[in-house]
Amino acid sequence: MKKRKEIPKETLKRLPLYLRCLNELILKGQTTLSSKDLATILPMNSAKIRKDLSYFGNFGKRGVGYELKSLIVNIREILNLDQTWRLALVGVGDIGSALLSYPGFNQGCFQIELAFDDDPDLIGSRVAGKKIRDSKDITPLVKEFETQIGIIAVPAETARDIADRLIRGGVTGIINFAPEVLDHNEEIKCTQIDIETELSKLTYYVDET
Ligand code: NAI
């Protein structure tokens, strides 16, 4: 395992946002950028951005700013995006099908290698070109494909069982869309995606008037 640099959690949370923004700029042909420019685009406090970026080397040059390419390489390295991650999706309903069709997957470092469902009408068919496999084979196939991350998009009542089977196959990270808290040991990183929670955070700030 790579030696990880110690970076505060709050900074880590912002890195994917910086990365997305930097990638867009480089596509537009930009080569350098100041923390002030980034602060205007995001928009965020430029001192905070400078502090965040200082954790992985002082690439900013006075009057020139940051060299975009090296900044992107460094952020990708920190986020472990300098490798391909193999994903297994379980549940090919509305959310699962949308994820399989999402062009952001299977081009970059995230590849959905396996897709599972337990619906006999779906098993053996293809969704967005991906073969749907029987979810009773999750553990052996995840082992065989050395899948590292699982995405759970099944009804809440089966989410724990699916998580157990993914973990037995060897996944160490799970993204869970089902409204069911998964409490596994600390070595398994689990992220809960919940639009209602996000909306509730938003409504705190949205002014009714
Ligand atoms: P859906 O009903 O369209 O799809 C669920 C799929 O899971 C179906 O294809 C079904 O055959 C499959 N399935 C059921 N049991 C299975 C098992 N044991 N093994 C393999 N596949 C199994 O549901 P939808 O709308 O895609 O939602 C999926 C999950 O996400 C649900 O738990 C839902 O409550 C949740 N959800 C989460 C949201 C969020 O913000 N995180 C928003 C909307 C839904």
Side-chain angles (χ1 to χ4, degrees):
M1 194 181 273
K2 277 195 286 190
K3 189 175 179 296
R4 295 185 69 91
K5 295 180 188 179
E6 284 305 320
I7 294 177
K9 267 193 183 149
E10 287 307 310
T11 298
L12 273 175
K13 275 193 211 162
R14 289 189 283 270
L15 292 187
L17 185 63
Y18 296 156
L19 190 58
R20 182 181 286 190
C21 185
L22 300 177
N23 279 328
E24 279 171 20
L25 290 174
I26 221 157
L27 283 176
K28 287 181 186 158
Q30 199 162 327
T31 53
T32 57
L33 172 102
S34 72
S35 47
K36 245 189 192 160
D37 296 337
L38 198 54
T40 316
I41 300 165
L42 283 173
M44 269 173 65
N45 177 305
S46 69
K48 192 186 261 180
I49 294 177
R50 240 189 336 273
K51 178 126 202 296
D52 282 350
L53 300 188
S54 73
Y55 285 108
F56 39 97
N58 190 8
F59 300 101
K61 287 190 196 129
R62 196 172 280 274
V64 179
Y66 298 89
E67 214 259 296
L68 277 184
K69 267 193 188 154
S70 15
L71 207 49
I72 289 173
V73 167
N74 277 281
I75 296 179
R76 288 180 67 86
E77 198 177 309
I78 286 162
L79 295 175
N80 286 329
L81 297 176
D82 52 345
Q83 65 176 88
T84 302
W85 290 94
R86 290 179 298 281
L87 275 57
L89 167 75
V90 189
V92 190
D94 290 333
I95 291 181
S97 311
L99 292 175
L100 279 179
S101 307
Y102 174 55
F105 284 125
N106 302 324
Q107 295 178 346
C109 54
F110 297 112
Q111 308 272 343
I112 300 185
E113 297 267 359
L114 294 167
F116 297 96
D117 206 285
D118 72 345
D119 181 343
D121 290 340
L122 272 175
I123 296 166
S125 70
R126 286 186 181 266
V127 173
K130 184 61 64 188
K131 186 175 168 192
I132 312 304
R133 298 162 189 269
D134 192 332
S135 57
K136 72 175 170 33
D137 297 326
I138 290 175
T139 302
L141 282 173
V142 161
K143 253 187 208 156
E144 185 186 328
F145 281 72
E146 299 183 344
T147 313
Q148 299 132 309
I149 295 175
I151 305 178
I152 297 180
V154 296
E157 57 274 19
T158 68
R160 273 166 192 253
D161 172 50
I162 297 298
D164 288 342
R165 289 197 253 164
L166 286 165
I167 292 166
R168 278 203 299 275
V171 309
T172 49
I174 291 177
I175 299 276
N176 179 28
F177 283 89
E180 173 72 27
V181 178
L182 304 174
D183 44 0
H184 292 286
N185 67 45
E186 280 179 8
E187 274 156 40
I188 309 297
K189 298 279 170 241
C190 184
T191 298
Q192 190 82 26
I193 308 268
D194 182 3
I195 190 75
E196 204 179 335
T197 306
E198 296 306 317
L199 282 169
S200 313
K201 282 189 219 161
L202 187 71
T203 48
Y204 175 83
Y205 296 102
V206 173
D207 195 347
E208 272 183 13
T209 56

